[in-house]
Amino acid sequence: MKTAFILEDTPESQVWLSEVLRQSFPAIHIQSANTIEQALALLPTLPAQDIALIDLSLPDGSGVSVIEWFNRHSLHTICVVASIFDDDNHIFPALRAGAHGYLLKDQPQAAIVQALNGIVTGQPPLSPAIARKLLRHFHEPLPELHAQALLTEREKEVLSIIAKGMTMVETANMLGLKRNTIAGYVKEIYRKLNVSSRAEAAISAQKMGLI
């Protein structure tokens, strides 16, 4: 590893991550940014980076967008999330965007160094808590599949339409039904999916493959 990029808005954490990288790869050259805007402006001007440590919670958005940039423009860069967040809403979007690892910043520095050293031998840099969460995720039955089995064919049809942004009136017109009928279907869909908004319903529809 000769070049590294750090995306981190907290100066103390930026210094801490730089120390971690230098302990892992003593000759490494480090560039850094503290906002997404700064990162996306700087990265095209730099030589290809071997590794990137990316925080997810930045003042101007999610670091996932920078992971996506690397995935489009620098596929060989090893993108590793360095975050304090260990919930599904942070982990899975980052991994889907192309992150190669996920490290929690509340670990001892020595543990982070060990995880990064493992990259050389092909070990994915994952904090133990993240690895356990991933294993649990793939061993648990998917709630969306269970919910899909509960929906009627008409409810699936309504869900697929409203998930695309159609209003109830537009959905009613498309299906030749009354608005109140569609409202009843939507209420039942929300109950079965255990959601409370159109956005959540759209996510469920996407997971079910309905859109």
Side-chain angles (χ1 to χ4, degrees):
M1 296 287 179
K2 296 181 179 179
T3 57
F5 185 81
I6 296 174
L7 176 59
E8 169 62 60
D9 64 315
T10 306
E12 295 81 2
S13 293
Q14 202 172 101
V15 170
W16 189 81
L17 291 172
S18 296
E19 292 173 355
V20 165
L21 281 169
R22 290 192 177 98
Q23 287 184 43
S24 303
F25 315 107
I28 202 160
H29 179 70
I30 301 171
Q31 297 278 353
S32 61
N34 52 31
T35 66
I36 294 167
E37 182 180 9
Q38 186 181 47
L40 296 179
L42 179 61
L43 284 169
T45 71
L46 299 176
Q49 302 295 294
D50 294 320
I51 186 170
L53 298 185
I54 299 174
D55 189 17
L56 296 179
S57 182
L58 284 303
D60 54 345
S62 170
V64 166
S65 59
V66 177
I67 297 173
E68 291 171 340
W69 185 93
F70 278 111
N71 201 37
R72 290 194 302 269
H73 301 285
S74 185
L75 284 174
H76 90 280
T77 301
I78 297 173
C79 292
V80 180
V81 172
S83 176
I84 61 171
F85 298 107
D86 64 353
D87 58 283
D88 292 359
N89 290 334
H90 286 86
I91 297 170
F92 292 106
L95 295 179
R96 281 194 292 266
H100 299 87
Y102 199 112
L103 298 174
L104 296 176
K105 290 188 287 190
D106 60 1
Q107 291 184 106
Q109 193 174 71
I112 303 290
V113 170
Q114 183 179 13
L116 293 180
N117 285 338
I119 293 173
V120 178
T121 56
Q123 299 177 48
L126 291 170
S127 292
I130 301 299
R132 288 193 295 270
K133 185 178 283 287
L134 290 174
L135 288 174
R136 283 198 302 271
H137 174 78
F138 288 107
H139 281 93
E140 292 173 353
L142 294 176
E144 291 81 10
L145 296 180
H146 175 66
Q148 185 171 11
L150 294 176
L151 296 180
T152 66
E153 290 305 312
R154 178 63 89 181
E155 287 166 351
K156 291 177 186 177
E157 188 176 19
V158 170
L159 175 58
S160 69
I161 295 172
I162 66 170
K164 295 173 183 175
M166 299 293 184
T167 65
M168 289 193 192
V169 172
E170 290 170 333
T171 303
N173 291 337
M174 287 180 66
L175 298 178
L177 299 171
K178 294 181 179 179
R179 184 193 181 284
N180 288 345
T181 302
I182 297 299
Y185 281 130
V186 170
K187 182 178 179 180
E188 191 65 11
I189 290 166
Y190 281 17
R191 183 186 68 80
K192 290 182 178 180
L193 296 181
N194 193 29
V195 300
S196 58
S197 70
R198 183 187 295 266
E200 290 177 303
I203 291 171
S204 293
Q206 186 175 33
K207 291 177 179 178
M208 292 178 194
L210 297 178
I211 57 173

PDB file of all heavy atoms in Angstrom, residues 69-89:
ATOM      1  N   TRP A  69     -18.126   6.721  -5.954  1.00  0.00           N
ATOM      2  CA  TRP A  69     -17.174   7.345  -6.881  1.00  0.00           C
ATOM      3  C   TRP A  69     -16.001   6.399  -7.128  1.00  0.00           C
ATOM      4  O   TRP A  69     -15.596   6.178  -8.278  1.00  0.00           O
ATOM      5  CB  TRP A  69     -16.671   8.674  -6.332  1.00  0.00           C
ATOM      6  CG  TRP A  69     -15.780   9.402  -7.293  1.00  0.00           C
ATOM      7  CD1 TRP A  69     -16.139  10.343  -8.213  1.00  0.00           C
ATOM      8  CD2 TRP A  69     -14.359   9.210  -7.465  1.00  0.00           C
ATOM      9  NE1 TRP A  69     -15.051  10.747  -8.940  1.00  0.00           N
ATOM     10  CE2 TRP A  69     -13.942  10.081  -8.505  1.00  0.00           C
ATOM     11  CE3 TRP A  69     -13.415   8.402  -6.845  1.00  0.00           C
ATOM     12  CZ2 TRP A  69     -12.615  10.143  -8.933  1.00  0.00           C
ATOM     13  CZ3 TRP A  69     -12.093   8.460  -7.278  1.00  0.00           C
ATOM     14  CH2 TRP A  69     -11.699   9.327  -8.305  1.00  0.00           C
ATOM     15  N   PHE A  70     -15.452   5.851  -6.055  1.00  0.00           N
ATOM     16  CA  PHE A  70     -14.331   4.908  -6.213  1.00  0.00           C
ATOM     17  C   PHE A  70     -14.769   3.691  -7.033  1.00  0.00           C
ATOM     18  O   PHE A  70     -14.014   3.185  -7.868  1.00  0.00           O
ATOM     19  CB  PHE A  70     -13.812   4.450  -4.845  1.00  0.00           C
ATOM     20  CG  PHE A  70     -12.860   5.416  -4.201  1.00  0.00           C
ATOM     21  CD1 PHE A  70     -13.234   6.126  -3.071  1.00  0.00           C
ATOM     22  CD2 PHE A  70     -11.583   5.604  -4.701  1.00  0.00           C
ATOM     23  CE1 PHE A  70     -12.360   7.016  -2.460  1.00  0.00           C
ATOM     24  CE2 PHE A  70     -10.693   6.484  -4.106  1.00  0.00           C
ATOM     25  CZ  PHE A  70     -11.080   7.198  -2.986  1.00  0.00           C
ATOM     26  N   ASN A  71     -15.970   3.230  -6.796  1.00  0.00           N
ATOM     27  CA  ASN A  71     -16.456   2.041  -7.502  1.00  0.00           C
ATOM     28  C   ASN A  71     -16.605   2.293  -9.001  1.00  0.00           C
ATOM     29  O   ASN A  71     -16.481   1.372  -9.806  1.00  0.00           O
ATOM     30  CB  ASN A  71     -17.795   1.599  -6.911  1.00  0.00           C
ATOM     31  CG  ASN A  71     -18.113   0.153  -7.202  1.00  0.00           C
ATOM     32  OD1 ASN A  71     -17.235  -0.698  -7.213  1.00  0.00           O
ATOM     33  ND2 ASN A  71     -19.378  -0.131  -7.456  1.00  0.00           N
ATOM     34  N   ARG A  72     -16.844   3.562  -9.376  1.00  0.00           N
ATOM     35  CA  ARG A  72     -16.965   3.918 -10.792  1.00  0.00           C
ATOM     36  C   ARG A  72     -15.619   4.245 -11.431  1.00  0.00           C
ATOM     37  O   ARG A  72     -15.394   3.921 -12.601  1.00  0.00           O
ATOM     38  CB  ARG A  72     -17.903   5.121 -10.963  1.00  0.00           C
ATOM     39  CG  ARG A  72     -19.366   4.828 -10.694  1.00  0.00           C
ATOM     40  CD  ARG A  72     -20.249   5.969 -11.209  1.00  0.00           C
ATOM     41  NE  ARG A  72     -19.897   7.242 -10.597  1.00  0.00           N
ATOM     42  CZ  ARG A  72     -20.436   7.718  -9.479  1.00  0.00           C
ATOM     43  NH1 ARG A  72     -21.359   7.003  -8.848  1.00  0.00           N
ATOM     44  NH2 ARG A  72     -20.075   8.892  -8.996  1.00  0.00           N
ATOM     45  N   HIS A  73     -14.748   4.905 -10.663  1.00  0.00           N
ATOM     46  CA  HIS A  73     -13.543   5.474 -11.275  1.00  0.00           C
ATOM     47  C   HIS A  73     -12.227   4.827 -10.834  1.00  0.00           C
ATOM     48  O   HIS A  73     -11.200   5.075 -11.481  1.00  0.00           O
ATOM     49  CB  HIS A  73     -13.468   6.977 -10.943  1.00  0.00           C
ATOM     50  CG  HIS A  73     -14.642   7.757 -11.426  1.00  0.00           C
ATOM     51  ND1 HIS A  73     -14.829   8.078 -12.753  1.00  0.00           N
ATOM     52  CD2 HIS A  73     -15.718   8.266 -10.772  1.00  0.00           C
ATOM     53  CE1 HIS A  73     -15.948   8.768 -12.895  1.00  0.00           C
ATOM     54  NE2 HIS A  73     -16.514   8.894 -11.709  1.00  0.00           N
ATOM     55  N   SER A  74     -12.236   4.040  -9.787  1.00  0.00           N
ATOM     56  CA  SER A  74     -10.982   3.472  -9.285  1.00  0.00           C
ATOM     57  C   SER A  74     -11.261   2.130  -8.611  1.00  0.00           C
ATOM     58  O   SER A  74     -11.200   1.994  -7.396  1.00  0.00           O
ATOM     59  CB  SER A  74     -10.320   4.445  -8.291  1.00  0.00           C
ATOM     60  OG  SER A  74      -9.066   3.981  -7.879  1.00  0.00           O
ATOM     61  N   LEU A  75     -11.555   1.139  -9.439  1.00  0.00           N
ATOM     62  CA  LEU A  75     -12.024  -0.146  -8.920  1.00  0.00           C
ATOM     63  C   LEU A  75     -10.987  -0.861  -8.058  1.00  0.00           C
ATOM     64  O   LEU A  75     -11.352  -1.666  -7.193  1.00  0.00           O
ATOM     65  CB  LEU A  75     -12.426  -1.053 -10.086  1.00  0.00           C
ATOM     66  CG  LEU A  75     -13.769  -0.725 -10.757  1.00  0.00           C
ATOM     67  CD1 LEU A  75     -13.972  -1.594 -11.983  1.00  0.00           C
ATOM     68  CD2 LEU A  75     -14.903  -0.910  -9.767  1.00  0.00           C
ATOM     69  N   HIS A  76      -9.713  -0.579  -8.276  1.00  0.00           N
ATOM     70  CA  HIS A  76      -8.701  -1.310  -7.507  1.00  0.00           C
ATOM     71  C   HIS A  76      -8.528  -0.728  -6.100  1.00  0.00           C
ATOM     72  O   HIS A  76      -7.915  -1.360  -5.232  1.00  0.00           O
ATOM     73  CB  HIS A  76      -7.358  -1.295  -8.250  1.00  0.00           C
ATOM     74  CG  HIS A  76      -6.491  -0.131  -7.901  1.00  0.00           C
ATOM     75  ND1 HIS A  76      -6.675   1.120  -8.458  1.00  0.00           N
ATOM     76  CD2 HIS A  76      -5.448  -0.014  -7.019  1.00  0.00           C
ATOM     77  CE1 HIS A  76      -5.770   1.949  -7.950  1.00  0.00           C
ATOM     78  NE2 HIS A  76      -5.016   1.297  -7.080  1.00  0.00           N
ATOM     79  N   THR A  77      -9.062   0.472  -5.844  1.00  0.00           N
ATOM     80  CA  THR A  77      -8.952   1.074  -4.510  1.00  0.00           C
ATOM     81  C   THR A  77      -9.759   0.261  -3.502  1.00  0.00           C
ATOM     82  O   THR A  77     -10.925  -0.054  -3.725  1.00  0.00           O
ATOM     83  CB  THR A  77      -9.474   2.521  -4.510  1.00  0.00           C
ATOM     84  OG1 THR A  77      -8.717   3.289  -5.448  1.00  0.00           O
ATOM     85  CG2 THR A  77      -9.337   3.150  -3.127  1.00  0.00           C
ATOM     86  N   ILE A  78      -9.141  -0.069  -2.396  1.00  0.00           N
ATOM     87  CA  ILE A  78      -9.824  -0.803  -1.330  1.00  0.00           C
ATOM     88  C   ILE A  78     -10.514   0.214  -0.425  1.00  0.00           C
ATOM     89  O   ILE A  78      -9.857   0.968   0.301  1.00  0.00           O
ATOM     90  CB  ILE A  78      -8.838  -1.665  -0.525  1.00  0.00           C
ATOM     91  CG1 ILE A  78      -8.225  -2.728  -1.432  1.00  0.00           C
ATOM     92  CG2 ILE A  78      -9.533  -2.319   0.670  1.00  0.00           C
ATOM     93  CD1 ILE A  78      -7.122  -3.535  -0.782  1.00  0.00           C
ATOM     94  N   CYS A  79     -11.830   0.269  -0.502  1.00  0.00           N
ATOM     95  CA  CYS A  79     -12.610   1.217   0.301  1.00  0.00           C
ATOM     96  C   CYS A  79     -13.032   0.560   1.608  1.00  0.00           C
ATOM     97  O   CYS A  79     -13.698  -0.487   1.591  1.00  0.00           O
ATOM     98  CB  CYS A  79     -13.854   1.673  -0.461  1.00  0.00           C
ATOM     99  SG  CYS A  79     -13.507   2.699  -1.891  1.00  0.00           S
ATOM    100  N   VAL A  80     -12.656   1.184   2.710  1.00  0.00           N
ATOM    101  CA  VAL A  80     -12.990   0.649   4.031  1.00  0.00           C
ATOM    102  C   VAL A  80     -13.728   1.727   4.810  1.00  0.00           C
ATOM    103  O   VAL A  80     -13.224   2.843   4.980  1.00  0.00           O
ATOM    104  CB  VAL A  80     -11.723   0.227   4.800  1.00  0.00           C
ATOM    105  CG1 VAL A  80     -12.104  -0.337   6.173  1.00  0.00           C
ATOM    106  CG2 VAL A  80     -10.931  -0.803   4.001  1.00  0.00           C
ATOM    107  N   VAL A  81     -14.912   1.416   5.260  1.00  0.00           N
ATOM    108  CA  VAL A  81     -15.655   2.351   6.106  1.00  0.00           C
ATOM    109  C   VAL A  81     -15.000   2.395   7.483  1.00  0.00           C
ATOM    110  O   VAL A  81     -14.643   1.368   8.047  1.00  0.00           O
ATOM    111  CB  VAL A  81     -17.128   1.910   6.241  1.00  0.00           C
ATOM    112  CG1 VAL A  81     -17.849   2.775   7.266  1.00  0.00           C
ATOM    113  CG2 VAL A  81     -17.829   1.992   4.899  1.00  0.00           C
ATOM    114  N   ALA A  82     -14.836   3.604   8.018  1.00  0.00           N
ATOM    115  CA  ALA A  82     -14.373   3.803   9.391  1.00  0.00           C
ATOM    116  C   ALA A  82     -15.432   4.651  10.076  1.00  0.00           C
ATOM    117  O   ALA A  82     -15.522   5.857   9.845  1.00  0.00           O
ATOM    118  CB  ALA A  82     -13.020   4.494   9.415  1.00  0.00           C
ATOM    119  N   SER A  83     -16.264   4.020  10.889  1.00  0.00           N
ATOM    120  CA  SER A  83     -17.460   4.692  11.394  1.00  0.00           C
ATOM    121  C   SER A  83     -17.729   4.316  12.844  1.00  0.00           C
ATOM    122  O   SER A  83     -17.198   3.324  13.353  1.00  0.00           O
ATOM    123  CB  SER A  83     -18.660   4.302  10.522  1.00  0.00           C
ATOM    124  OG  SER A  83     -19.864   4.854  11.023  1.00  0.00           O
ATOM    125  N   ILE A  84     -18.587   5.099  13.494  1.00  0.00           N
ATOM    126  CA  ILE A  84     -19.059   4.741  14.832  1.00  0.00           C
ATOM    127  C   ILE A  84     -20.405   4.023  14.748  1.00  0.00           C
ATOM    128  O   ILE A  84     -20.895   3.503  15.745  1.00  0.00           O
ATOM    129  CB  ILE A  84     -19.196   5.979  15.739  1.00  0.00           C
ATOM    130  CG1 ILE A  84     -20.217   6.967  15.138  1.00  0.00           C
ATOM    131  CG2 ILE A  84     -17.845   6.640  15.964  1.00  0.00           C
ATOM    132  CD1 ILE A  84     -20.565   8.117  16.078  1.00  0.00           C
ATOM    133  N   PHE A  85     -20.999   3.980  13.546  1.00  0.00           N
ATOM    134  CA  PHE A  85     -22.343   3.423  13.390  1.00  0.00           C
ATOM    135  C   PHE A  85     -22.277   1.943  13.018  1.00  0.00           C
ATOM    136  O   PHE A  85     -21.558   1.565  12.095  1.00  0.00           O
ATOM    137  CB  PHE A  85     -23.111   4.185  12.311  1.00  0.00           C
ATOM    138  CG  PHE A  85     -23.324   5.639  12.640  1.00  0.00           C
ATOM    139  CD1 PHE A  85     -22.617   6.628  11.971  1.00  0.00           C
ATOM    140  CD2 PHE A  85     -24.218   6.015  13.625  1.00  0.00           C
ATOM    141  CE1 PHE A  85     -22.801   7.972  12.281  1.00  0.00           C
ATOM    142  CE2 PHE A  85     -24.414   7.358  13.938  1.00  0.00           C
ATOM    143  CZ  PHE A  85     -23.704   8.331  13.270  1.00  0.00           C
ATOM    144  N   ASP A  86     -23.053   1.125  13.741  1.00  0.00           N
ATOM    145  CA  ASP A  86     -23.054  -0.308  13.463  1.00  0.00           C
ATOM    146  C   ASP A  86     -24.450  -0.847  13.149  1.00  0.00           C
ATOM    147  O   ASP A  86     -24.726  -2.031  13.313  1.00  0.00           O
ATOM    148  CB  ASP A  86     -22.461  -1.086  14.641  1.00  0.00           C
ATOM    149  CG  ASP A  86     -23.290  -0.947  15.913  1.00  0.00           C
ATOM    150  OD1 ASP A  86     -24.253  -0.148  15.920  1.00  0.00           O
ATOM    151  OD2 ASP A  86     -22.980  -1.643  16.905  1.00  0.00           O
ATOM    152  N   ASP A  87     -25.344   0.033  12.684  1.00  0.00           N
ATOM    153  CA  ASP A  87     -26.713  -0.381  12.387  1.00  0.00           C
ATOM    154  C   ASP A  87     -26.864  -0.705  10.906  1.00  0.00           C
ATOM    155  O   ASP A  87     -26.057  -0.301  10.070  1.00  0.00           O
ATOM    156  CB  ASP A  87     -27.708   0.721  12.782  1.00  0.00           C
ATOM    157  CG  ASP A  87     -27.408   2.019  12.053  1.00  0.00           C
ATOM    158  OD1 ASP A  87     -26.452   2.720  12.450  1.00  0.00           O
ATOM    159  OD2 ASP A  87     -28.107   2.321  11.077  1.00  0.00           O
ATOM    160  N   ASP A  88     -27.930  -1.444  10.586  1.00  0.00           N
ATOM    161  CA  ASP A  88     -28.166  -1.895   9.209  1.00  0.00           C
ATOM    162  C   ASP A  88     -28.267  -0.738   8.227  1.00  0.00           C
ATOM    163  O   ASP A  88     -27.846  -0.862   7.068  1.00  0.00           O
ATOM    164  CB  ASP A  88     -29.446  -2.720   9.137  1.00  0.00           C
ATOM    165  CG  ASP A  88     -29.321  -4.060   9.857  1.00  0.00           C
ATOM    166  OD1 ASP A  88     -28.230  -4.340  10.387  1.00  0.00           O
ATOM    167  OD2 ASP A  88     -30.308  -4.808   9.895  1.00  0.00           O
ATOM    168  N   ASN A  89     -28.830   0.393   8.663  1.00  0.00           N
ATOM    169  CA  ASN A  89     -29.030   1.527   7.761  1.00  0.00           C
ATOM    170  C   ASN A  89     -27.722   2.163   7.318  1.00  0.00           C
ATOM    171  O   ASN A  89     -27.697   2.911   6.335  1.00  0.00           O
ATOM    172  CB  ASN A  89     -29.914   2.587   8.423  1.00  0.00           C
ATOM    173  CG  ASN A  89     -31.349   2.123   8.570  1.00  0.00           C
ATOM    174  OD1 ASN A  89     -31.822   1.277   7.810  1.00  0.00           O
ATOM    175  ND2 ASN A  89     -32.050   2.657   9.557  1.00  0.00           N
TER     176      ASN A  89
END
